[in-house]
Amino acid sequence: MKSLTPEVIRAITPMFIATIGAVIAIAVIVSPNANNAAQFSAGLGLAGTAIAGAAGLAQTGKSEPDFSVSKQGDNLKVETPSPEPADGH
């Protein structure tokens, strides 16, 4: 399980949640017990919420620090990118 790095988990989680939302939506649509409009609406609302949550997780965060750490002998070297101006200059 060495391939499950935090970056991979961050990338897979929204796809997993969106898949769950899609499965819920398909189950509600093909369910013979969903004849009641309230049950149908609630099921599709739950599916839509799961998919919207996945879309929110897929957004990149501007406040997340981007840095790298490497070891040089007995010392740790931390590299951080220089902050860019907000207006792009």
Side-chain angles (χ1 to χ4, degrees):
M1 287 292 189
K2 291 182 180 181
S3 62
L4 285 179
T5 63
E7 291 82 15
V8 172
I9 293 172
R10 242 182 265 137
I12 291 175
T13 302
M15 292 185 286
F16 178 72
I17 294 174
T19 302
I20 291 173
V23 168
I24 292 171
I26 292 170
V28 167
I29 291 171
V30 300
S31 174
N33 297 332
N35 295 333
N36 187 353
Q39 290 176 341
F40 188 78
S41 176
L44 288 182
L46 177 62
T49 301
I51 294 170
L57 284 175
Q59 297 293 322
T60 59
K62 299 282 184 185
S63 63
E64 293 182 16
D66 188 16
F67 61 90
S68 65
V69 179
S70 60
K71 187 174 182 179
Q72 294 179 339
D74 291 336
N75 299 326
L76 291 177
K77 180 182 176 185
V78 179
E79 295 179 14
T80 57
S82 60
E84 296 179 20
D87 62 358
H89 288 91

